[in-house]
């Protein structure tokens, strides 16, 4: 039989997942000769030579048996009449040469696999109790790679040359570590060292003895800094109130903000939280996110883990060090919260970690460089009706740098979406792919701003591209907006375009669900803050039209924010503003009097705010239609939370208090009316306050809290239903941080439910500001595509 030769160019997620070893072993199994090699961001090239039938089988098995993390985007095959004769199949040296129009992606950091865990518990000298154990199927990827193609010299593992035995494993085609770039062992790999608070090294004969000591110290009430895959955690007991309060005081702005915890296994989680099938699948997946789980009736952890909330953020171990630590602990859970202060980049340098954390008792640090920071992803599963809906609060480790696929292709251009300011995640778009970076945080500090720029630069380097146009938020005071000229100059970009915040939220949903950009939709954008086209602060908006030309057709009624940002920190100010739409100054003060404890200067401050409201004449920047500020006001009125110590706290705790009422009937049936003038609907949220005040002493707080949120959703749904009836529009897109609220969104969906109407929500990016850059890119792509 005559041998034939073909060239296969594969693009997608085909680097960093053991793809070349897989192709090598498959080729040798079938008797195919040739080679496989990485081509940088152009993908992987396979040159295959065999009889025609064997090659056809080879193509078939490349798809059927592909590694579990492999994602084929394209597989282009070229046949050749004449080609050199090959005598074996080999893994060829990688090349950064571009070949074709493919676009290769790296996989995310992958949790340690079961086989490597077995070795941790074995008697095998080199990898027993070795916390950096990994293989072709697991281990860090994004956080260790400096450039592509994904080969060891292009990662931080270049600092750890192979010992002879690891070198043999790496070259053995029958070994799990065949061409596994993070391969190492106790003889040649990274190691952990323990330091005291006085920066004194504490020596141990083995890593196991070190971990046993650390586990005991945590259970004795000590705080440890533990350097991991993409940053540094602070670890302490989940049962000890005193150490948790000490940690909260030391972290400054964490008086009530919840801590994430790590549990030994699924059985341990079931002892304190409710766990469904979908949550279990996500927790045990290779991504290992933090998932917000509802507390069970048997919740026994300290209240100071997540004070005042109905849920708790839980993850399972994802690195060898985590498994070793929890194995040695008697307690099956441990706090694992980010060591960095809020809005500050994660600590990754050993000296910085010791310098910036003076309150820590011990530092457990390793000597492997973290090339890219990568925080833990945070998810909750909402149940809208009977269907579970995945919601990102933070999309980072376990997902980054996986792309999103757009139904708009911008060709050879590369676009950058900066995002807004809070929970920032910039994104690049190339061709029809959008690639969000890791979670950056809120960009109000120079350090975080530089972290944002360096992450963008890393993407540009990895994907060997440069930016043609930049999309950014139109808010005139965001650092990402005021510095947009500097950003454009840094990346040598002339074309910059601003987009309205809430329109970008809606656009992110449209991109996820591949909605025809020419089709009219209705968008509901509900959040805390976004600069509106009229100069006021929007946040409770209804839009209508095609994605690229949305018109504002409704919103929550407008009210002032006395003191601007002070009304965010002290929601009683917003409450007084809403009350003033119905009551006189003296009546407002009477209502506020029992709640004045939430203001720094009590009733004296309330008098000043009331006088401001009486005078009126607020500038546009102090007027709002924010859903978040309304919910904060209700939280204060019901004496649930009257002081914001972390972003969104009053509204989050409002939902938490009312969650127990979700599956019961309150028999209250409160309503929020809406009206329509010639051009716009107004949802008159202040109208619910008199009835709420009247019922406050007669009904449970949880019932009233639930009813207000249900009524708000019903009012939004009522407006949308009227628009649908009048226009025939059948697609409703909901986004914004408040769309994480299950009660409100479930109420909206119930109100507009109709056989031919569909509700779409964010599921692949955060509905909060972490998803704004994706919406910006979609809007910019539609604009650029029109110009092409």
């Amino acid at each position: 039989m005559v041998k034939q030769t073909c060239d296969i160019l594969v693009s997608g997620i085909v680097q960093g997942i053991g793809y070349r070893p897989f192709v090598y072993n498959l080729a040798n199994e079938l008797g195919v000769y040739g080679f496989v090699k990485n081509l940088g961001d152009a993908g992987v090239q396979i040159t295959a030579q065999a009889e025609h039938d064997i090659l056809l089988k080879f193509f078939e098995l490349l798809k059927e048996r592909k590694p579990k993390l492999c994602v084929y985007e394209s597989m282009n095959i070229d046949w050749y009449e004449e080609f050199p004769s090959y005598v074996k199949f080999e893994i060829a040296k990688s090349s950064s040469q571009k070949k074709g129009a493919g676009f290769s992606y790296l996989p995310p950091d992958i949790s340690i696999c079961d086989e490597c865990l077995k070795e941790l518990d074995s008697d095998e000298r080199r990898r027993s109790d070795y916390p950096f154990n990994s293989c072709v199927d697991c281990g860090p990827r994004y956080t260790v790679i400096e450039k592509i193609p994904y080969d060891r010299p292009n990662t931080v593992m270049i600092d750890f040359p192979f010992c002879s035995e690891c070198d043999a494993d790496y070259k053995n085609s029958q070994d799990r570590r065949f061409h596994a770039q993070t391969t190492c062992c106790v003889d040649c790999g990274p190691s952990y060292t323990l330091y005291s608070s006085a920066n004194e090294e504490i020596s141990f004969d083995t890593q196991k003895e070190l971990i046993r000591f650390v586990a005991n110290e945590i259970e004795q009430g000590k705080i440890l800094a533990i350097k991991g895959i993409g940053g540094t955690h602070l670890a302490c007991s989940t049962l000890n109130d005193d150490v948790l309060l000490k940690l909260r005081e030391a972290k400054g702005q964490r008086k009530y903000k919840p801590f994430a915890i790590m549990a030994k296994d699924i059985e341990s989680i079931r002892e304190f939280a409710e766990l469904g099938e979908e949550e279990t699948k996500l927790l045990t997946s290779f991504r290992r996110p933090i998932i917000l789980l509802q507390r069970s009736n048997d919740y026994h952890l300290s209240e100071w883990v997540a004070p005042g909330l109905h849920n708790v953020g839980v993850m399972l171990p994802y690195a060898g060090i985590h498994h070793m630590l929890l194995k040695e602990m008697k307690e099956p859970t441990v706090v694992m919260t980010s060591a960095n202060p809020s809005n500050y980049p994660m600590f990754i340098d050993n000296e910085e970690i010791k310098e910036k954390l003076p309150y820590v008792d011990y530092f457990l640090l390793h000597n492997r460089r973290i090339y890219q920071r990568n925080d833990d992803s945070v998810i909750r599963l909402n149940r809208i009706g009977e269907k579970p809906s995945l919601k990102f609060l933070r999309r980072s480790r376990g997902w980054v740098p996986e792309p999103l696929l757009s139904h708009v292709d911008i060709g050879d251009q590369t676009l950058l979406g900066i995002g807004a300011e809070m929970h920032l995640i910039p994104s690049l778009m190339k061709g029809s792919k959008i690639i969000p970076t890791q979670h950056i945080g809120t960009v109000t500090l120079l350090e975080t701003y530089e972290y944002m720029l360096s992450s963008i630069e890393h993407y540009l380097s990895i994907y060997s591209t440069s930016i043609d146009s930049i999309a950014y938020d139109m808010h005139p005071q965001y650092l990402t907006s005021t510095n947009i000229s500097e950003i454009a100059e840094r990346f040598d970009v002339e074309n910059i375009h601003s987009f309205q915040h809430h329109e970008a939220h809606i656009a992110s949903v449209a991109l996820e669900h591949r909605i025809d950009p020419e089709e009219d939709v209705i968008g509901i954008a509900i959040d805390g803050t976004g600069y509106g086209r009229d100069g006021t602060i929007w946040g409770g908006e209804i839009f209508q039209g095609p994605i690229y030309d949305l018109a504002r057709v409704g919103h929550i009624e407008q009210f002032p924010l006395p003191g601007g940002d002070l009304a965010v920190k002290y929601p009683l100010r917003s409450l007084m503003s809403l009350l003033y739409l119905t009551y006189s100054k003296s009546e407002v003060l009477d209502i506020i009097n029992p709640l004045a404890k939430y203001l720094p200067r009590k009733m004296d401050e309330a008098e000043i705010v009331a006088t401001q409201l009486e005078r009126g004449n607020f500038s546009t920047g102090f007027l709002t239609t924010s859903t978040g500020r309304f919910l904060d006001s209700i939280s204060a009125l019901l004496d649930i939370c009257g002081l914001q110590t972390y972003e969104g706290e009053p509204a989050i705790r409002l939902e938490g208090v009312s969650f127990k009422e979700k599956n019961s009937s309150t028999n209250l049936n409160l309503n929020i009316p809406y009206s329509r003038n010639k051009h716009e609907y107004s949802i008159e949220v202040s109208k619910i306050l008199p009835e709420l005040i009247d019922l406050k002493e007669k009904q449970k707080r949880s019932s009233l809290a639930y009813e207000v949120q249900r009524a708000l959703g019903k009012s939004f749904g009522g407006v949308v239903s009227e628009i649908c009836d009048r226009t025939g529009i059948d697609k409703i897109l909901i986004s914004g941080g408040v769309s994480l609220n299950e009660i409100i969104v479930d109420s909206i969906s119930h109100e507009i439910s109709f056989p031919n109407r569909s509700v779409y929500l964010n599921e692949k990016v955060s509905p909060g500001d972490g998803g704004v850059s994706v919406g910006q890119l979609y809007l910019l792509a539609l604009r650029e595509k029109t110009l092409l």
Side-chain angles (χ1 to χ4, degrees):
M1 297 289 290
V2 177
K3 289 187 176 181
Q4 293 184 293
T5 304
C6 65
D7 226 3
I8 309 169
L9 182 62
V10 182
S11 66
I13 299 180
V14 288
Q15 294 190 40
I17 54 169
Y19 188 74
R20 288 177 296 170
F22 155 69
V23 174
Y24 175 92
N25 286 321
L26 179 61
N28 280 298
E29 176 188 330
L30 297 178
V32 174
Y33 294 165
F35 63 86
V36 57
K37 71 174 179 179
N38 279 338
L39 292 175
D41 74 349
V44 170
Q45 177 188 350
I46 305 169
T47 295
Q49 191 173 80
E51 294 173 2
H52 186 75
D53 288 347
I54 293 176
L55 288 177
L56 293 180
K57 184 67 173 177
F58 183 58
F59 303 154
E60 181 183 338
L61 294 180
L62 281 175
K63 298 174 182 177
E64 286 184 9
R65 294 189 193 172
K66 65 182 177 69
K68 62 182 179 181
L69 297 181
C70 173
V71 176
Y72 288 132
E73 183 179 296
S74 65
M75 183 181 287
N76 299 318
I77 302 173
D78 292 323
W79 293 90
Y80 296 97
E81 294 295 330
E82 298 181 8
F83 220 87
S85 180
Y86 296 99
V87 296
K88 62 179 180 178
F89 196 91
E90 61 183 357
I91 296 179
K93 184 179 179 180
S94 298
S95 168
S96 58
Q97 177 184 357
K98 304 285 182 174
K99 182 167 178 137
F103 193 22
S104 180
Y105 304 91
L106 295 170
D109 297 310
I110 305 165
S111 64
I112 188 170
C113 70
D114 291 341
E115 292 301 313
C116 284
L117 281 177
K118 288 178 185 176
E119 289 176 333
L120 283 186
D121 292 331
S122 73
D123 296 326
E124 202 269 328
R125 183 190 68 83
R126 292 164 53 230
R127 296 195 171 97
S128 171
D129 294 310
Y130 182 59
F132 298 92
N133 198 21
S134 67
C135 68
V136 76
D137 292 325
C138 70
R141 296 293 189 269
Y142 179 70
T143 50
V144 299
I145 188 167
E146 298 184 17
K147 59 183 178 180
I148 54 177
Y150 177 65
D151 291 315
R152 194 179 181 93
N154 294 335
T155 74
V156 300
M157 293 305 291
I158 194 173
D159 300 338
F160 303 96
F162 285 137
C163 64
S164 59
E165 290 175 282
C166 281
D167 188 54
D169 293 341
Y170 183 83
K171 293 174 180 176
N172 181 0
S173 65
Q174 301 307 306
D175 196 283
R176 244 177 41 252
R177 295 180 175 87
F178 181 46
H179 277 259
Q181 309 305 330
T182 55
T183 294
C184 59
C185 73
V186 70
D187 294 334
C188 64
S191 61
Y192 271 98
T193 302
L194 187 69
Y195 299 90
S196 70
S197 58
N199 198 21
E200 297 169 337
E201 184 176 334
I202 305 173
S203 299
F204 298 87
D205 291 336
T206 65
Q207 296 272 287
K208 185 172 183 177
E209 290 179 10
L210 184 160
I211 301 304
R212 184 172 292 159
F213 175 85
V214 165
N216 182 67
E217 290 299 294
I218 289 175
E219 292 181 322
Q220 293 301 313
K222 298 296 194 295
I223 299 172
L224 271 88
I226 302 177
K227 185 179 176 183
I229 288 177
T232 303
H233 285 120
L234 294 177
C236 71
S237 170
T238 60
L239 305 177
N240 187 322
D241 287 353
D242 291 339
V243 71
L244 285 163
L245 287 168
K246 177 185 174 183
L247 181 56
R248 289 191 174 282
E249 183 178 354
K251 288 205 63 155
Q253 297 181 351
R254 292 299 289 259
K255 186 175 181 181
Y256 297 112
K257 192 173 183 179
F259 291 143
I261 66 173
M262 184 174 283
K264 182 178 182 180
D265 49 36
I266 288 293
E267 289 67 32
S268 302
I269 297 174
R270 289 199 173 101
E271 293 178 4
F272 61 86
E274 295 183 6
L275 201 55
E277 182 180 349
E278 293 298 323
E279 288 90 345
T280 301
K281 284 180 182 177
L282 277 168
L283 282 166
T284 56
S285 71
F286 73 87
R287 302 182 190 276
R288 296 291 165 107
I290 297 169
I291 299 189
L292 299 188
L293 300 174
Q294 190 168 348
R295 298 186 188 190
S296 68
N297 293 331
D298 299 321
Y299 182 84
H300 61 274
L301 308 180
S302 168
E303 180 60 30
W304 289 104
V305 169
L309 299 182
H310 66 292
N311 53 24
V312 59
V314 188
M315 59 182 156
L316 288 175
Y318 57 85
I321 189 68
H322 302 146
H323 286 274
M324 293 173 65
L325 177 62
L326 282 160
K327 180 183 176 183
E328 296 295 334
M329 289 181 62
K330 298 180 182 68
E331 299 174 15
T333 57
V334 61
V335 167
M336 281 285 182
T337 188
S338 297
N340 52 290
S342 295
N343 305 329
Y344 196 93
M346 286 172 291
F347 299 139
I348 58 174
D349 176 77
N350 287 1
E351 293 308 311
E352 181 185 34
I353 294 167
K354 289 184 281 187
E355 178 188 339
K356 295 288 180 65
L357 301 172
Y359 53 86
V360 166
D361 296 301
Y362 297 99
F363 301 91
L364 184 58
L365 309 177
H366 62 70
N367 58 342
R368 184 176 67 195
R369 288 181 292 128
I370 297 174
Y371 191 71
Q372 282 294 307
R373 297 172 171 89
N374 205 4
D375 214 338
D376 299 316
S377 293
V378 183
I379 287 171
R380 65 181 280 181
L381 282 173
N382 285 359
R383 282 170 173 79
I384 309 304
E386 298 300 318
K387 180 185 175 184
S389 174
L390 186 149
K391 295 289 185 183
F392 280 102
L393 280 77
R394 182 197 298 155
R395 183 186 186 272
S396 206
R397 180 190 53 76
W399 274 268
V400 173
E402 287 184 0
L404 306 172
L405 298 182
S406 169
H407 51 305
V408 174
D409 193 323
I410 57 171
D412 294 334
Q413 294 187 93
T414 298
L415 310 180
L416 169 66
I418 290 285
E421 181 176 75
M422 302 184 74
H423 310 294
L424 194 78
I425 297 179
S427 298
L428 277 187
M429 184 173 189
K430 184 175 180 180
S432 60
K433 295 87 185 175
I434 291 178
I435 319 164
T437 71
Q438 70 270 49
H439 171 77
I440 302 298
T442 298
V443 183
T444 54
L445 301 173
L446 179 61
E447 292 87 349
T448 314
Y449 176 73
E450 287 298 329
Y451 173 32
M452 172 195 77
L453 295 175
S454 68
S455 297
I456 295 168
E457 287 171 341
H458 181 56
Y459 265 28
L460 296 175
S461 173
I462 281 182
Y463 299 119
S464 302
T465 191
S466 58
I467 301 167
D468 295 291
S469 298
I470 299 176
Y472 66 100
D473 196 283
M474 64 165 38
H475 197 298
Q477 295 178 350
Y478 284 169
L479 190 60
T480 52
S481 302
T482 58
N483 283 26
I484 191 61
S485 296
E486 176 187 302
I487 294 170
E489 183 177 354
R490 181 156 173 167
F491 295 114
D492 193 24
V493 180
E494 293 184 1
N495 300 316
I496 58 174
H497 306 273
S498 67
F499 293 95
Q500 202 281 319
H501 186 86
H502 301 97
E503 293 169 17
H505 271 310
I506 300 305
S508 72
V509 183
L511 179 128
E512 279 195 39
H513 296 279
R514 306 175 77 83
I515 294 188
D516 184 347
E518 297 295 333
E519 184 176 3
D520 279 5
V521 300
I522 296 171
I524 302 175
I526 41 178
D527 65 1
T529 298
Y531 189 75
R533 292 190 177 278
D534 58 0
T536 65
I537 304 302
W538 291 2
E541 315 306 313
I542 301 173
F543 298 98
Q544 175 187 332
I547 291 299
Y548 60 86
D549 190 24
L550 291 171
R552 187 190 194 206
V553 295
H555 51 79
I556 280 177
E557 68 179 318
Q558 191 178 88
F559 57 97
L561 289 175
D565 288 344
L566 283 175
V568 179
K569 185 173 183 179
Y570 303 105
L572 216 61
R573 287 171 167 264
S574 295
L575 174 60
M576 291 179 68
S577 178
L578 285 162
L579 288 169
Y580 201 77
L581 297 176
T582 302
Y583 295 97
S584 68
K585 176 181 176 180
S586 60
E587 289 172 326
V588 169
L589 290 171
D590 286 343
I591 295 168
I592 288 298
N593 195 10
L595 302 168
K597 59 186 178 182
Y598 289 124
L599 295 172
R601 289 176 289 165
K602 311 298 188 294
M603 283 303 294
D604 288 343
E605 187 167 334
E607 288 274 3
I608 294 171
V609 173
T611 300
Q612 285 181 310
L613 291 167
E614 188 176 38
R615 290 174 180 168
N617 296 321
F618 288 90
S619 63
T620 54
F622 288 81
L623 299 175
T624 190
T625 54
S626 166
T627 307
R629 299 295 79 80
F630 167 68
L631 296 174
D632 291 350
S633 301
I634 300 300
S635 189
L637 176 63
L638 297 179
D639 207 4
I640 294 168
C641 180
L643 174 65
Q644 186 192 80
T645 66
Y646 61 88
E647 196 238 331
E649 180 184 7
I652 290 169
R653 291 178 66 179
L654 179 74
E655 183 188 13
V657 165
S658 54
F659 214 79
K660 66 184 74 171
E661 305 289 343
K662 191 170 187 291
N663 296 317
S664 61
S665 176
T666 65
N667 296 316
L668 291 176
N669 200 30
L670 299 181
N671 285 295
I672 294 176
Y674 57 86
S675 60
R676 184 189 181 203
N677 61 24
K678 186 175 180 181
H679 301 293
E680 293 181 339
Y681 286 90
S682 177
I683 296 174
E684 298 167 350
V685 291
S686 65
K687 297 290 178 64
I688 200 172
L689 295 178
E691 191 172 6
L692 200 58
I693 292 166
D694 181 58
L695 292 170
K696 187 178 173 184
E697 304 302 323
K698 306 172 187 175
Q699 298 288 339
K700 295 185 300 181
R701 276 193 317 181
S702 58
S703 298
L704 294 174
Y706 174 80
E707 273 299 311
V708 172
Q709 292 165 91
R710 183 204 57 77
L712 180 63
K714 183 178 179 182
S715 189
F716 268 108
V719 171
V720 169
S721 286
E722 283 194 15
I723 297 172
C724 289
D725 290 341
R726 189 174 67 254
T727 64
I729 297 173
D730 59 7
K731 289 182 173 61
I732 299 92
L733 285 54
I734 307 176
S735 189
V738 175
S739 69
L740 289 165
N741 185 304
E742 188 173 323
I743 298 168
I744 293 173
V745 174
D746 194 36
S747 179
I748 293 173
S749 300
H750 183 268
E751 190 68 17
I752 62 180
S753 60
F754 204 77
N756 64 341
R757 294 178 189 165
S758 300
V759 174
Y760 299 90
L761 302 158
N762 290 108
E763 294 184 353
K764 296 178 182 177
V765 299
S766 171
D769 284 5
V772 165
S773 67
V774 170
Q776 290 173 342
L777 279 179
Y778 186 38
L779 292 171
L780 181 56
L782 292 176
R783 181 179 295 182
E784 294 291 316
K785 190 171 183 294
T786 302
L787 295 174
L788 287 177

